[in-house]
Amino acid sequence: MAQLTSNGSVPTLADVARHANVSTATVSRCLNSPDQVVGETRERVLKAVRELGYAPNFGARALAAKHTNTVGAVIPTMENAVFARGLQAFQEELGRHGKTLLVASSAYNETLEDEQVRALVARGADGLLLIGYDRSSELYAFLAKRKVPALVAWSYAAQKEQPAIGFDNRAAMAELARLVIGHGHRHIACISAPIASNDRARGRVQGIGDAMTEAGLAPDDLLLIETPYGIETGEAAFRQVMADTPETTVVMCANDVLAIGALRAAREMGVRVPEDVSVTGFDDIEIAMLAEPALTTVHVPHREMGRRAATLMIQMLRDGDTGQSVELPTDIRLRRSLGPARSGDLSKASMA
Amino acid sequence: MAQLTSNGSVPTLADVARHANVSTATVSRCLNSPDQVVGETRERVLKAVRELGYAPNFGARALAAKHTNTVGAVIPTMENAVFARGLQAFQEELGRHGKTLLVASSAYNETLEDEQVRALVARGADGLLLIGYDRSSELYAFLAKRKVPALVAWSYAAQKEQPAIGFDNRAAMAELARLVIGHGHRHIACISAPIASNDRARGRVQGIGDAMTEAGLAPDDLLLIETPYGIETGEAAFRQVMADTPETTVVMCANDVLAIGALRAAREMGVRVPEDVSVTGFDDIEIAMLAEPALTTVHVPHREMGRRAATLMIQMLRDGDTGQSVELPTDIRLRRSLGPARSGDLSKASMA
């Protein structure tokens, strides 16, 4: 392929115009509103674009078109299947509307999330998908000033103004906790991701407290262990629970990955699930069903959430709409890891 | 916080300069080379940036600085833990050097990958991480013309010019196949992702053929089933293998997720693993060890690969270096899913 620019540098709009023998305005029109250019001219311009390896300069193009057809998302981690799954559906639906998704992951770090949001805005993201409500008011103010619509996902709280598509983490976990208490459990432990700047995790822990209060139990008796997301951390937290409060009959984990770690620790310790101790999760990722024993958990419609988030985002971008929040239902998947509370102490004998 | 721009529009560099009572050149210097600005002035400018909600305009800034400190990556899917894990390490290392990572996922679709690469370049990515070598020569030519360094990961082939950090998929799978054949297996089936535009999958299938040839078996006898990535697809493929070629004694899967699906199908069909049929994977993701039975697989150092890819990328960006390719070692994790080949037919009786 011949090098057709005059000086071997990065090809410009003018180079494309010269090569296709049209005006620069025609090249712009071809790239931004191809429908307005007759077929033959369009073909010639696009051929020149291809041959020269021209890519529109963001700055110029954004100024002309006011939008870049790029949507950004900042998620806490790529290593959690729930975000991956929701984003895949989000992207598929955006793709059907000609939009590209760029994703950054913040490692559950608020400062990093802040930087990534600003970087995506600087790179020209038309809109942003963010996970949960918790972030500084400065960042929300920044987005409002920059007129970049932001949609919250994975959380839904009726009283919040920020447009959101998600579910009520607190109510969902309260429902599971009622089922757990219905199985006779009174000594409940909870392993959660750190709750300080994570409204999803915080809501789930509060939900357990709500169900305990309803059942006449003291929510302060809930043993709460906060630990970073991961299988190994869930494993260590389960060991700590059994060492600190051997009277525990159920360990409710705020996500499935921590629960998988708890199941692994139980197996290594010779603690039978659910005969000695029950374990529950939250999310219903694929390994929840494959785990041994299969995990009782809260099923979250991740794909549905991603797909509908895209529909809402497209509407917000097109109509300058503020976005009507959507609450999605969750439901409980009762599997073998939850059983009746054992009576009496966990005998030392049953532990390897 | 007061709205300080003159007309309520998106704040500009000039607005910041006016608010901080400095020249626009000083604002630019503060943003691009803060070390060159005295502390007090810098503080005043950064305060104005915060108060106005100013974010540098990419176009102008890129023209001035020639780089954006953004690195892009296009991966086949976010729903595979191996990419998530490698990218997390890639990002952590980039972050230590003040760079932001933006990720797009192509759903294993070459056309989509092409669009996403061009979108990342248009958004100002300084460099790109791409998975495997397979893509059109036009796309490589485009990147060369735009002078955007591209680093291939997850693949390594000594004869390729493109800088890469990865491992030899073919040699790694050949080593596993030798171990499988050493267990007496002669009737081998392989479940793989589609190999046409995926050099990693293609290499792994070829590796099985290499080991078969060495052992005096005909590589053409390998039953190959190609299916998209996923647990359900692996499950369906295993059922097809057992229906089409019941003489199969081992099913070698080109990745762990397909193998997990195969294990699930085997359990549902009442086929015992490894007594009736052995199953192997590739990648060594976390569930490989948690699966029942635990999965024999090829361990790939995903985090190490991500970390070293970042180091190499930073060097390429800083020095305009072409990048020295790196081959990483893999090793085999022998677990319970691989056993000796059964002798004789898989009796109908043993199947539920």
Side-chain angles (χ1 to χ4, degrees), chain A residues 1-4 8-11 49-61 63 68-70 75-81 83-85 87-89 91-92 100-107 112 115-116 118-125 138 141-142 145-147 230-232 257 260 264 267 286-287 289-292 303, chain B residues 1-4 8-11 49-61 63 68-70 75-81 83-85 87-89 91-92 100-107 112 115-116 118-125 138 141-142 145-147 230-232 257 260 264 267 286-287 289-292 303:
Chain A
M1 200 182 292
Q3 172 59 275
L4 291 152
S9 66
V10 170
V49 164
R50 275 196 306 275
E51 289 185 1
L52 292 172
Y54 172 76
N57 173 276
F58 160 65
R61 196 178 175 190
L63 288 175
T68 65
N69 275 328
T70 304
I75 58 175
T77 174
M78 297 204 181
E79 298 192 57
N80 185 334
F83 298 124
R85 177 158 299 183
L87 278 196
Q88 191 75 37
Q91 162 164 324
E92 283 163 16
T100 300
L101 175 65
L102 296 182
V103 180
S105 89
S106 68
L112 197 53
E115 285 171 16
Q116 291 172 330
R118 289 169 195 266
L120 279 162
V121 170
R123 296 280 89 68
E138 283 78 12
F142 165 79
K145 278 190 180 150
R146 299 287 297 195
K147 301 188 198 309
I231 291 185
E232 290 80 5
V257 170
I260 296 294
R264 191 203 272 188
R267 194 188 310 168
E286 254 160 352
I287 46 173
M289 202 152 61
L290 297 172
E292 196 42 50
R303 285 194 199 276
Chain B
M1 201 181 292
Q3 173 56 274
L4 290 152
S9 66
V10 171
V49 164
R50 276 195 307 275
E51 288 185 2
L52 292 171
Y54 172 76
N57 172 275
F58 159 65
R61 197 179 174 189
L63 288 175
T68 65
N69 275 329
T70 304
I75 59 175
T77 174
M78 297 204 182
E79 296 194 57
N80 185 334
F83 299 123
R85 177 158 298 183
L87 278 196
Q88 191 75 37
Q91 161 164 325
E92 283 163 16
T100 300
L101 175 66
L102 296 181
V103 180
S105 89
S106 68
L112 196 53
E115 285 172 16
Q116 291 173 330
R118 289 169 195 267
L120 279 162
V121 170
R123 294 283 86 68
E138 283 78 11
F142 165 79
K145 277 190 182 153
R146 299 285 297 194
K147 302 189 197 305
I231 291 184
E232 290 79 6
V257 169
I260 296 293
R264 190 202 275 189
R267 193 187 312 168
E286 253 161 351
I287 45 174
M289 202 151 63
L290 297 172
E292 198 38 52
R303 285 193 198 277

Side-chain angles (χ1 to χ4, degrees), chain B residues 1-270:
Chain B
M1 201 181 292
Q3 173 56 274
L4 290 152
T5 58
S6 42
N7 57 3
S9 66
V10 171
T12 64
L13 191 77
D15 293 322
V16 175
R18 202 173 308 120
H19 187 55
N21 200 21
V22 297
S23 69
T24 52
T26 301
V27 177
S28 283
R29 238 184 346 263
C30 268
L31 297 172
N32 294 312
S33 316
D35 298 347
Q36 294 172 27
V37 183
V38 292
E40 195 206 339
T41 307
R42 192 170 65 219
E43 301 268 297
R44 202 162 72 235
V45 169
L46 295 180
K47 186 161 172 284
V49 164
R50 276 195 307 275
E51 288 185 2
L52 292 171
Y54 172 76
N57 172 275
F58 159 65
R61 197 179 174 189
L63 288 175
K66 301 276 189 207
H67 57 76
T68 65
N69 275 329
T70 304
V71 171
V74 182
I75 59 175
T77 174
M78 297 204 182
E79 296 194 57
N80 185 334
V82 304
F83 299 123
R85 177 158 298 183
L87 278 196
Q88 191 75 37
F90 184 63
Q91 161 164 325
E92 283 163 16
E93 189 64 22
L94 287 179
R96 274 190 276 276
H97 292 81
K99 298 188 188 296
T100 300
L101 175 66
L102 296 181
V103 180
S105 89
S106 68
Y108 288 96
N109 176 322
E110 207 179 333
T111 309
L112 196 53
E113 190 201 39
D114 194 292
E115 285 172 16
Q116 291 173 330
V117 165
R118 289 169 195 267
L120 279 162
V121 170
R123 294 283 86 68
D126 293 330
L128 289 180
L129 185 77
L130 301 171
I131 309 302
Y133 292 100
D134 277 5
R135 56 189 54 82
S136 70
S137 55
E138 283 78 11
L139 192 60
Y140 280 120
F142 165 79
L143 290 170
K145 277 190 182 153
R146 299 285 297 194
K147 302 189 197 305
V148 175
L151 177 59
V152 163
W154 267 265
S155 282
Y156 172 87
Q159 74 280 13
K160 297 266 192 184
E161 264 182 50
Q162 193 65 29
I165 180 152
F167 49 96
D168 186 329
N169 286 277
R170 184 170 180 163
M173 190 63 128
E175 197 192 338
L176 177 59
R178 276 181 214 110
L179 182 71
V180 163
I181 294 169
H183 277 69
H185 294 280
R186 295 295 175 270
H187 298 288
I188 305 174
C190 174
I191 303 176
S192 171
I195 62 177
S197 60
N198 180 336
D199 58 285
R200 286 102 56 215
R202 200 165 56 244
R204 294 173 198 180
V205 173
Q206 287 168 332
I208 300 176
D210 293 344
M212 290 176 76
T213 304
E214 286 166 20
L217 302 172
D220 285 352
D221 287 348
L222 177 69
L223 173 71
L224 174 64
I225 297 190
E226 296 179 55
T227 186
Y229 174 86
I231 291 184
E232 290 79 6
T233 51
E235 212 173 331
F238 184 87
R239 288 180 183 279
Q240 192 188 328
V241 167
M242 299 318 294
D244 292 357
T245 53
E247 67 273 25
T248 297
T249 63
V250 62
V251 178
M252 298 188 70
C253 301
N255 63 58
D256 285 352
V257 169
L258 290 171
I260 296 293
L263 287 181
R264 190 202 275 189
R267 193 187 312 168
E268 289 161 354
M269 294 166 74

Side-chain angles (χ1 to χ4, degrees), chain B residues 314-322:
Chain B
I314 287 159
Q315 190 185 317
M316 288 164 76
L317 292 174
R318 192 188 47 212
D319 308 336
D321 197 298
T322 50

Side-chain angles (χ1 to χ4, degrees), chain A residues 16-98:
Chain A
V16 175
R18 202 172 308 121
H19 187 56
N21 200 20
V22 297
S23 68
T24 52
T26 301
V27 177
S28 284
R29 239 186 343 266
C30 267
L31 296 171
N32 295 309
S33 317
D35 298 347
Q36 294 173 28
V37 183
V38 293
E40 196 207 339
T41 307
R42 193 171 62 219
E43 302 267 298
R44 202 162 72 237
V45 170
L46 294 181
K47 184 160 173 283
V49 164
R50 275 196 306 275
E51 289 185 1
L52 292 172
Y54 172 76
N57 173 276
F58 160 65
R61 196 178 175 190
L63 288 175
K66 302 276 191 208
H67 56 76
T68 65
N69 275 328
T70 304
V71 171
V74 182
I75 58 175
T77 174
M78 297 204 181
E79 298 192 57
N80 185 334
V82 304
F83 298 124
R85 177 158 299 183
L87 278 196
Q88 191 75 37
F90 183 63
Q91 162 164 324
E92 283 163 16
E93 188 65 22
L94 288 179
R96 274 190 277 275
H97 292 79

Side-chain angles (χ1 to χ4, degrees), chain A residues 134-275:
Chain A
D134 277 5
R135 57 189 54 81
S136 71
S137 55
E138 283 78 12
L139 192 61
Y140 281 120
F142 165 79
L143 290 169
K145 278 190 180 150
R146 299 287 297 195
K147 301 188 198 309
V148 175
L151 177 59
V152 162
W154 267 263
S155 282
Y156 172 88
Q159 73 279 13
K160 297 266 191 183
E161 263 182 51
Q162 193 65 29
I165 180 152
F167 49 96
D168 186 330
N169 285 277
R170 182 170 180 163
M173 189 63 128
E175 198 191 337
L176 177 59
R178 276 182 213 108
L179 181 71
V180 163
I181 294 169
H183 277 70
H185 293 280
R186 295 295 175 269
H187 298 288
I188 306 174
C190 174
I191 302 175
S192 171
I195 62 177
S197 60
N198 180 336
D199 59 285
R200 288 100 57 213
R202 200 164 56 242
R204 294 174 198 179
V205 173
Q206 288 168 333
I208 300 176
D210 294 345
M212 290 176 76
T213 304
E214 287 165 21
L217 302 172
D220 286 351
D221 288 348
L222 177 69
L223 173 72
L224 174 64
I225 295 190
E226 297 179 54
T227 186
Y229 173 87
I231 291 185
E232 290 80 5
T233 52
E235 212 173 331
F238 184 87
R239 288 180 182 278
Q240 192 187 330
V241 167
M242 300 317 294
D244 291 357
T245 53
E247 66 273 26
T248 298
T249 63
V250 62
V251 178
M252 298 187 68
C253 300
N255 65 58
D256 284 353
V257 170
L258 290 172
I260 296 294
L263 287 180
R264 191 203 272 188
R267 194 188 310 168
E268 289 161 353
M269 294 167 74
V271 172
R272 295 167 305 160
V273 178
E275 294 80 359

